[in-house]
Amino acid sequence: MRILFITHSFNSLAQRLYCELSALGHEISIEFDIADEVNEEAVALFKPDLIVAPFLKRAIPESIWAKHVCLVVHPGIVGDRGPSALDWAIQLGETMWGVTVLQAEAEMDAGPVWASAVFPLRQAMKSSIYRNEVTEAAVQAVRLAVERFASGNFVPQRVAGQTHALMKQADRAINWQTDSTASILARLHAADGFPGVADRLFGQPCHLFDAWPEASLKGEPGSLIGRRGTAICRATRDGAVWIGHVKAAGGIKLPATLALPMALELPELPLADYWKSSAATWQEISYEEAGGVGFLSFEFYNGAMSTAQCQRLTEAFKWAETRPTKVIVLRGGSDFWSNGVHLNTIEAAESPADESWANINAIDDLAEAILCCKRQCTVASLAGNAGAGGCFLARAADYVWVRDGVMLNPHYKNMGNLYGSEFWTYLLPPRVGDDGAKAIMRHRLPMTAKESVKLGFYDACLPGPGFAVDVARRAAELAAAPDFAAQLAAKQAKRAADEATKPLAAYRAEELQEMKRNFYGFDPSYHVARYHFVSRSLNSWTPRHLARHRDLDWKIPQ
Ligand code: COA
């Protein structure tokens, strides 16, 4: 079928549905929901059999739903209606939640139901629930709904429903004197990603994000107990929570101490070392060891890696190399493995060009450390999504194992035609061929975990449930392999041979030459794209590589 996506943006859920439905043989074109007339034009050009709305913030106009079946993905259980669906579910402590695919009609979310799926609701940030449980449930429900639509004999059912209002900041407000830690965490989790919880810190209005529980620190309710790295710890009535990110009034979302520099005066509350704390606390980089395998996790918010984070991780990796292990597994974070350099800290710097340069060099140093690791075999295990430089940083490891369901965006051009570094010119072509590498970079499209393995870019796609256990088992097997010494020797020999053919320094210098032009050259595209990205500017048009119906040579297949 020809399926038109009308969507607020091409977010990870829309990307996943795009890949899943394309893999089933459907032809997908995308229009961003900017204005009714633009949507009408897209429908007229593409003449879709079906319209799917993965992520909408406004209603579809009657001019479209009256003539075409439009399937809307609603992040709520059957009968749930209205905005802030996930926010209410998390804040009210629901234990089961779901996704409903319903047909667009005049009243929002009130149309007949085509399919639905449910899941247990974890206590976690909304953005994490959305990228994991909601996305998996949406894939299941949309596939079923599309199948039912194609069958031509399914009659969607109307259900009674309850409409809730848009959640306002008044509904989210925290009373630090009286609210419990659990209720504060639920409020911060329900608002994570967007819009955050409006509050005051150091007397300044701001929005809070990225909350983590703290098991042992305590203080006067509402007081700031201290900081660890860039996060701050605030006391509650019965404990404390960590706040990792803050958006100061008029600013962008930043690591807390960067958003509010006065937080740097707070006492530092360091952890002893990289070993994973056994109690709940804020720990960005952590290390565990079992069966000859070292596991290095880096829980960087949104997968963005600032200069300082890259430096800290490089230091931790070099420390992990000194351990008596045979394999190092680079685990990344629970939601993202890495999305490359940190565009928000770059934007906030006095000279974004200088900070871009520092950040790309710091991430290249990390990639180089991984590439040059001699004593251990390295594995990148991707439980979460990766984008841009993050995809190539993972490829610097000897093996890349990726969880089924993870979305990858191994290209840079969407960020103002950025050339990219992280040794992609060394790492990508041998895996997918020169033409394959050019196509991936040019098409700028997302890739599923399965596709990445099919293309030869990554090495194994492992089932979602039990991924961590599976990775640990495979890594332990690798460490215990009778031919481990031979494998290590072969890896060292390959690196030496590659180095003799063309040194890593030459790849790096060539890539950075291009990046210098992006950062300091006369074409400001990267700086403009980054500004719009970090400011979350609304889309004003759909890029041509997504809106296929707008290609000049696009014709309806006969
Ligand atoms: N730096 C800073 N923040 C980043 C980031 C980066 N490199 N990559 C993602 N984020 C943030 C987004 O701003 C967003 O923040 P918020 O929702 O908390 O405000 C959050 O991560 C999720 O990103 P979003 O774009 O909504 O997720 P997605 O799953 O729809 O798309 C990507 C994933 C990777 C395609 C997209 O985030 C992207 O293009 N990132 C930039 C990659 C890049 O160009 N890196 C620099 C070159 S190495």
Side-chain angles (χ1 to χ4, degrees):
M1 289 192 290
R2 269 193 312 285
I3 303 179
L4 179 69
F5 278 14
I6 296 183
T7 186
H8 178 73
S9 70
F10 197 38
N11 69 352
S12 54
L13 171 58
Q15 294 175 19
R16 177 80 186 280
L17 291 174
Y18 168 88
C19 290
E20 297 280 344
L21 295 180
S22 301
L24 292 173
H26 301 298
E27 189 182 3
I28 316 289
S29 194
I30 297 163
E31 188 69 48
F32 288 165
D33 179 30
I34 292 159
D36 291 350
E37 304 76 60
V38 182
N39 290 341
E40 286 161 6
E41 191 180 73
V43 173
L45 286 168
F46 195 52
K47 297 193 173 35
D49 301 304
L50 178 65
I51 295 172
V52 172
F55 168 41
L56 275 190
K57 291 202 172 180
R58 316 175 315 138
I60 293 178
E62 185 174 356
S63 57
I64 296 181
W65 63 253
K67 293 190 205 130
H68 299 265
V69 172
C70 302
L71 300 180
V72 177
V73 177
H74 175 69
I77 48 175
V78 173
D80 177 85
R81 293 177 188 172
S84 317
L86 257 185
D87 309 44
W88 286 114
I90 296 170
Q91 188 153 315
L92 296 175
E94 300 287 352
T95 51
M96 289 298 290
W97 202 240
V99 167
T100 306
V101 175
L102 32 82
Q103 189 166 338
E105 281 189 352
E107 195 187 333
M108 217 159 163
D109 305 328
V113 172
W114 281 81
S116 62
V118 291
F119 52 81
L121 188 55
R122 255 186 314 140
Q123 288 182 5
M125 293 184 218
K126 176 177 66 178
S127 41
S128 175
I129 303 287
Y130 187 81
R131 283 188 196 104
N132 293 284
E133 286 86 346
V134 168
T135 300
E136 290 305 329
V139 167
Q140 206 183 317
V142 168
R143 283 179 66 142
L144 184 58
V146 168
E147 215 174 276
R148 286 173 168 170
F149 175 79
S151 76
N153 55 19
F154 180 80
V155 183
Q157 295 301 308
R158 288 187 182 280
V159 293
Q162 209 181 1
T163 305
H164 44 69
L166 177 78
M167 192 184 268
K168 302 202 186 68
Q169 282 299 339
D171 303 312
R172 303 183 189 272
I174 294 174
N175 183 333
W176 291 89
Q177 311 302 319
T178 55
D179 289 345
S180 67
T181 303
S183 127
I184 291 173
L185 274 174
R187 280 162 190 264
L188 289 164
H189 282 164
D192 201 74
F194 181 82
V197 173
D199 205 344
R200 292 184 88 82
L201 283 172
F202 300 100
Q204 291 193 17
C206 57
H207 286 75
L208 312 181
F209 302 88
D210 185 20
W212 293 86
E214 163 57 42
S216 50
L217 294 165
K218 285 195 174 30
E220 187 66 26
S223 66
L224 293 171
I225 302 174
R227 71 175 179 107
R228 177 173 304 146
T230 55
I232 53 181
C233 187
R234 191 168 190 184
T236 66
R237 158 166 77 78
D238 55 352
V241 295
W242 287 94
I243 314 266
H245 278 70
V246 170
K247 184 173 176 297
I252 56 173
K253 197 191 282 185
L254 287 171
T257 58
L258 218 68
L260 301 168
M262 49 290 242
L264 289 168
E265 306 293 324
L266 294 169
E268 174 77 32
L269 304 167
L271 283 169
D273 47 33
Y274 300 116
W275 290 93
K276 189 173 172 57
S277 166
S278 53
T281 192
W282 188 79
Q283 185 171 13
E284 239 183 355
I285 299 178
S286 61
Y287 180 84
E288 288 168 275
E289 224 171 80
V293 183
F295 296 90
L296 192 58
S297 303
F298 31 106
E299 195 63 70
F300 296 148
Y301 188 63
N302 284 337
M305 297 168 82
S306 69
T307 306
Q309 285 167 319
C310 291
Q311 288 165 345
R312 285 200 292 272
L313 187 54
T314 307
E315 194 186 291
F317 179 77
K318 290 188 169 165
W319 172 85
E321 277 183 295
T322 64
R323 298 286 311 154
T325 53
K326 290 186 166 170
V327 175
I328 299 176
V329 176
L330 295 149
R331 257 185 188 155
S334 40
D335 284 335
F336 288 102
W337 197 84
S338 166
N339 277 329
V341 296
H342 200 314
L343 297 165
N344 290 45
T345 52
I346 288 173
E347 187 66 26
E350 205 170 75
S351 162
D354 288 352
E355 184 51 31
S356 300
W357 183 251
N359 205 159
I360 201 72
N361 273 287
I363 203 167
D364 279 0
D365 288 343
L366 173 60
E368 202 167 319
I370 300 169
L371 279 164
C372 296
C373 172
K374 286 202 176 82
R375 287 194 52 235
Q376 286 96 347
C377 272
T378 52
V379 177
S381 87
L382 276 66
N385 297 349
C391 294
F392 303 103
L393 184 66
R395 190 56 279 177
D398 301 320
Y399 301 96
V400 186
W401 302 337
V402 54
R403 176 179 64 77
D404 194 11
V406 157
M407 286 308 308
L408 305 161
N409 276 279
H411 46 79
Y412 300 88
K413 284 197 184 302
N414 285 342
M415 198 52 61
N417 248 345
L418 205 59
Y419 183 80
S421 191
E422 293 98 358
F423 299 96
W424 76 266
T425 54
Y426 169 60
L427 295 165
L428 186 59
R431 297 275 165 176
V432 299
D434 285 340
D435 290 345
K438 279 193 193 119
I440 288 174
M441 289 291 167
R442 196 176 55 237
H443 292 152
R444 300 185 273 155
L445 286 170
M447 192 185 277
T448 59
K450 275 197 192 85
E451 283 167 340
S452 74
V453 175
K454 204 163 140 202
L455 281 173
F457 179 43
Y458 286 167
D459 304 300
C461 172
L462 310 178
F467 176 75
V469 176
D470 214 5
V471 165
R473 183 186 51 76
R474 282 170 158 251
E477 278 168 14
L478 181 60
D483 66 343
F484 180 82
Q487 284 195 46
L488 201 60
K491 149 184 155 142
Q492 288 165 0
K494 175 162 186 316
R495 179 81 282 284
D498 284 357
E499 189 67 16
T501 311
K502 179 171 171 178
L504 281 181
Y507 286 99
R508 179 168 172 158
E510 283 167 14
E511 289 171 2
L512 289 182
Q513 185 63 25
E514 298 284 344
M515 291 296 259
K516 209 169 216 167
R517 246 195 293 276
N518 290 139
F519 301 156
Y520 296 101
F522 64 88
D523 177 357
S525 301
Y526 155 70
H527 297 291
V528 173
R530 188 195 61 241
Y531 168 79
H532 286 298
F533 182 81
V534 304
S535 318
R536 310 310 278 164
S537 299
L538 288 177
N539 293 308
S540 49
W541 51 283
T542 312
R544 278 289 164 86
H545 69 283
L546 302 179
R548 295 204 179 135
H549 51 280
R550 295 190 185 278
D551 272 359
L552 294 178
D553 55 357
W554 188 81
K555 287 192 186 60
I556 294 177
Q558 294 307 309

